[in-house]
């Protein structure tokens, strides 16, 4: 009799917690480690510690507080994303749609969550960013830009490179890119351009690849920075 080989356990998602409140970190750890495929591999109480541990602990996902003594979460996010671009960071905020959430997205975070979010929302956000998507919708990003877009700096050399990449988009890809910047979802894009959703996904994937962007949220921010959508 042939005995089937046991199913290997799922690979655990490596998570780091960054918050200056120890009790809050304990609460997050309890929620996350109740999931079979989550593992909290490191904790930091400030931005400096987060940067060091991002290298040594190699987390896939970082839950990042923004209001911390010393180096804040936004600057820590910026430095971590520069050194570890495949890491996914979720900003933890106290108030919805605040300037800290906006700053975190601009620094390279894949989304933000309120600290009092339900456990299921936290778990869902982590799974979403690991899959390569942003945990905050483009439409919410547009709302943040409407509120805080005046804080954006003038385009710099890096944005000049982005402008060159934009010029490489086809006419249809440019149309889809601008529609993404409006905050449209895939079904809405399909309806506007009379395309199937699978074709829309193909267009979106090519656009992000050509522009060197991680997700649609970064596309919204780029379009705003370049003055391609209303400010």
């Amino acid at each position: 009799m042939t005995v089937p080989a046991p199913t290997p356990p799922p690979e655990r998602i490596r998570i780091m917690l960054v918050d200056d409140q120890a009790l809050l970190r304990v609460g997050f750890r309890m929620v996350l480690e109740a999931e079979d495929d989550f593992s909290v591999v490191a904790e930091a109480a400030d931005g400096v510690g987060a940067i060091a541990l991002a290298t040594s602990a190699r987390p896939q996902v970082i839950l990042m507080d923004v209001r911390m003594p010393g180096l804040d979460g936004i600057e820590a996010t910026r430095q971590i994303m520069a050194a570890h671009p495949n890491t996914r960071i979720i900003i933890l905020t106290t108030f919805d749609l605040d300037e800290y959430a906006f700053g975190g997205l601009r620094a390279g975070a894949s989304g933000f969550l309120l600290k009092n979010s339900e456990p299921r929302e936290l778990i869902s956000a982590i799974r979403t960013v690991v899959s390569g998507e942003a945990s905050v919708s483009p439409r919410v990003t547009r709302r943040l830009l409407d509120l805080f877009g005046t804080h954006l700096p003038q385009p710099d050399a890096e944005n000049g490179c982005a402008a060159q990449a934009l010029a490489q988009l086809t006419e249809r890809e440019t149309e889809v890119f601008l529609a993404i910047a409006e905050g449209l979802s895939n079904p809405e894009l399909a309806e506007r351009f009379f395309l199937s959703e699978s074709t829309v996904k193909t267009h979106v994937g090519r656009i992000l690849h050509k522009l060197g962007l991680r997700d649609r949220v970064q596309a919204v921010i780029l379009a705003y920075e370049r003055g391609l959508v209303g400010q």
Side-chain angles (χ1 to χ4, degrees):
M1 178 179 177
T2 302
V3 179
T7 302
E11 184 177 348
R12 289 178 177 268
I13 298 171
R14 300 169 59 83
I15 303 168
M16 180 165 76
L17 308 176
V18 184
D19 197 293
D20 60 337
Q21 298 182 47
L23 284 177
L24 195 61
R25 298 199 306 271
V26 169
F28 278 126
R29 178 184 282 273
M30 291 176 62
V31 169
L32 298 175
E33 293 195 332
E35 300 296 308
D36 292 338
D37 58 339
F38 285 1
S39 177
V40 177
V41 297
E43 295 184 22
D46 55 39
V48 173
I51 292 170
L53 286 171
T55 297
S56 61
R58 297 178 293 104
Q60 295 167 267
V61 179
I62 300 174
L63 300 182
M64 179 79 74
D65 188 22
V66 285
R67 299 172 178 87
M68 295 181 291
L71 192 71
D72 66 28
I74 294 175
E75 181 57 30
T77 294
R78 184 175 294 109
Q79 293 189 33
I80 289 171
M81 293 308 304
H84 309 283
N86 291 327
T87 302
R88 298 293 181 256
I89 296 178
I90 299 174
I91 295 293
L92 301 175
T93 67
T94 304
F95 304 103
D96 196 6
L97 295 179
D98 68 3
E99 189 171 352
Y100 288 99
F102 171 74
L105 293 178
R106 287 210 67 227
S110 294
F112 66 92
L113 278 175
L114 292 177
K115 286 189 174 183
N116 62 356
S117 296
E118 295 292 328
R120 59 181 173 77
E121 295 176 305
L122 174 63
I123 292 167
S124 175
I126 291 172
R127 297 194 195 284
T128 296
V129 298
V130 168
S131 74
E133 297 291 331
S135 70
V136 55
S137 73
R139 201 180 303 278
V140 170
T141 306
R142 277 306 311 275
R143 290 175 62 194
L144 283 166
L145 287 167
D146 290 340
L147 288 170
F148 305 113
T150 55
H151 296 282
L152 289 173
Q154 294 299 313
D156 52 20
E158 181 179 347
N159 280 334
C161 294
Q164 293 178 5
L166 284 168
Q168 298 176 17
L169 298 181
T170 66
E171 182 177 351
R172 175 44 61 91
E173 288 170 347
T174 299
E175 292 174 342
V176 173
F177 172 73
L178 294 176
I180 292 172
E182 294 177 30
L184 269 63
S185 64
N186 280 355
E188 290 169 333
L189 290 171
E191 181 178 359
R192 172 175 293 189
F193 297 110
F194 304 102
L195 300 171
S196 68
E197 285 194 42
S198 61
T199 301
V200 166
K201 289 179 181 178
T202 298
H203 279 307
V204 172
R206 287 176 179 168
I207 291 166
L208 296 180
H209 177 72
K210 284 185 177 181
L211 299 179
L213 302 174
R214 190 179 60 253
D215 53 49
R216 297 159 67 106
V217 165
Q218 301 303 313
V220 176
I221 293 174
L222 173 61
Y224 202 95
E225 288 177 327
R226 299 304 309 171
L228 301 176
V229 293
Q231 298 190 30

